[in-house]
Amino acid sequence: MKNILVIGSTGQIGSELTLELRKRYGVEHVVAGYIPSAMPQGELQAGPSAIADVTDRQSIEVVARQFKIDTIYNLAALLSVVAESRPAMAWKVGIDGLWNVLEVAREYGCAVFTPSSIGSFGMETPHVKTPQDTIQRPRTMYGVTKVTTELLSDYYFVKYGVDTRAVRFPGIISNVTHPGGGTTDYAVEIFYAAVKGEKFVCPIKAGTYMDMMYMPDAMHAAISLMEADPKRLVHRNAFNIASMSFDPEGVYQAIKKHLPEFEMTYEVDPLKQAIADSWPDCLDDSCARREWDWMPRYDLESMTVDMLEKLRVKLQKKVM
Ligand code: AKB
């Protein structure tokens, strides 16, 4: 990876991944791709940026040519709950957009990372220790676009030799950019409520387990997979990765250990609950561990300590 384009650099993952890539590869080698309604702010402005709209192939092509891009992180997507209310848009951004990215990659010889998700699985998938290769019959538009993403990315690798690689991200927990419209968002919101001293109303039922991951591990996964030796990769699109699986009670208790006054009640959102029920409880990530040495660094306890500490500093600054 010499010259990298991050499409969706102002989004939940992109905003942190762009900065992390700049730390490793040099500021001038990582272009923050954005759409005009979501311009780069703050630290992201310290390096090159350009409009790179997945729905407009030419905009990606111009950036690829101008900056001699050899690697694209394609993070443009709608999350699961929003995708259910805007299915056509979810398809346009997720799949028509991916097609544009892959075509540019084919022409300019770029490697491409386009994440899939635990949302690519469905009710018929084995829910515990979900295998790498198993039934994928999601009934959500988000899931449909994620399975299609995996298939299309593999197709471009097999047919045209485009170096496509991906992971299936779990719910990602970060103290920087909020997610927006995901089923796992509660796992971020609960931390904000706790630090603000507010009672948290949980939209997901107790006993609903889903895989989650702290942002530093998610970035580490995306970067180390793209740096991995291609000769070792049996799979490509997309690897199961895992670091922790919990239900609302689990994360509530983990926070309560540090903030004993914190309170949570439930008001279940039927759409989010139905989506969550169709997703696995926990994935088997042994292929990722074997093929590119994937190893998470955070578990629920260490993430909770770090989240509470970082959010206290962040929210204090906002008040001052
Ligand atoms: C969502 O909840 O939609 C995402 C995901 C797990 O893919 N966070």
Side-chain angles (χ1 to χ4, degrees), residues 79-81 117-119 142 169-172 181-185 279:
L79 291 184
S80 53
V81 178
S117 155
I118 52 171
Y142 183 66
F169 275 138
I172 294 175
T183 306
T184 58
D185 292 8
W279 289 358

Side-chain angles (χ1 to χ4, degrees), residues 146-296:
K146 290 301 177 192
V147 175
T148 312
T149 294
E150 296 186 8
L151 293 173
L152 197 57
S153 300
D154 265 346
Y155 180 83
Y156 266 73
F157 171 65
V158 172
K159 179 102 178 168
Y160 304 118
V162 177
D163 185 359
T164 55
R165 307 180 189 194
V167 296
R168 295 180 179 130
F169 275 138
I172 294 175
I173 297 168
S174 151
N175 48 62
V176 180
T177 308
H178 282 270
T183 306
T184 58
D185 292 8
Y186 91 86
V188 178
E189 288 154 5
I190 192 171
F191 282 98
Y192 277 85
V195 173
K196 285 181 185 162
E198 294 167 1
K199 187 180 201 167
F200 182 63
V201 182
C202 186
I204 300 288
K205 262 190 227 158
T208 311
Y209 283 82
M210 286 183 275
D211 271 306
M212 303 282 176
M213 186 171 286
Y214 200 27
M215 183 63 94
D217 275 337
M219 293 193 293
H220 162 62
I223 296 172
S224 37
L225 174 57
M226 293 310 278
E227 286 177 344
D229 177 356
K231 289 194 225 74
R232 288 181 62 197
L233 300 182
V234 178
H235 298 84
R236 278 180 170 264
N237 301 286
F239 282 93
N240 282 0
I241 52 169
S243 61
M244 63 186 92
S245 166
F246 56 72
D247 81 325
E249 282 299 315
V251 62
Y252 172 56
Q253 291 305 334
I255 295 172
K256 222 170 148 58
K257 231 166 59 186
H258 302 274
L259 296 169
E261 312 288 288
F262 181 46
E263 282 182 47
M264 177 172 84
T265 55
Y266 291 91
E267 215 170 275
V268 173
D269 177 317
L271 173 62
K272 288 185 181 176
Q273 186 62 44
I275 297 175
D277 285 341
S278 74
W279 289 358
D281 295 4
C282 59
L283 303 188
D284 171 0
D285 63 356
S286 49
C287 288
R289 289 173 190 246
R290 202 166 44 240
E291 292 174 38
W292 48 280
D293 307 321
W294 156 246
M295 186 58 75

Side-chain angles (χ1 to χ4, degrees), residues 2-44:
K2 289 198 186 78
N3 295 310
I4 303 167
L5 167 63
V6 181
I7 297 177
S9 68
T10 59
Q12 188 208 1
I13 302 173
S15 55
E16 287 181 66
L17 184 64
T18 305
L19 299 180
E20 185 61 32
L21 287 166
R22 282 179 176 168
K23 261 193 233 153
R24 294 178 188 219
Y25 294 96
V27 172
E28 67 282 10
H29 292 292
V30 183
V31 181
Y34 64 93
I35 50 171
S37 58
M39 304 269 291
Q41 308 286 337
E43 272 185 273
L44 276 180

Side-chain angles (χ1 to χ4, degrees), residues 51-95:
I51 291 180
D53 179 350
V54 279
T55 64
D56 170 13
R57 187 185 305 178
Q58 221 199 329
S59 72
I60 307 166
E61 203 170 332
V62 167
V63 184
R65 213 179 16 242
Q66 185 186 343
F67 293 93
K68 298 189 168 43
I69 296 298
D70 56 53
T71 305
I72 301 174
Y73 282 87
N74 170 26
L75 305 174
L78 269 59
L79 291 184
S80 53
V81 178
V82 195
E84 279 313 285
S85 60
R86 305 181 71 194
M89 182 57 88
W91 185 270
K92 187 173 171 188
V93 172
I95 303 307

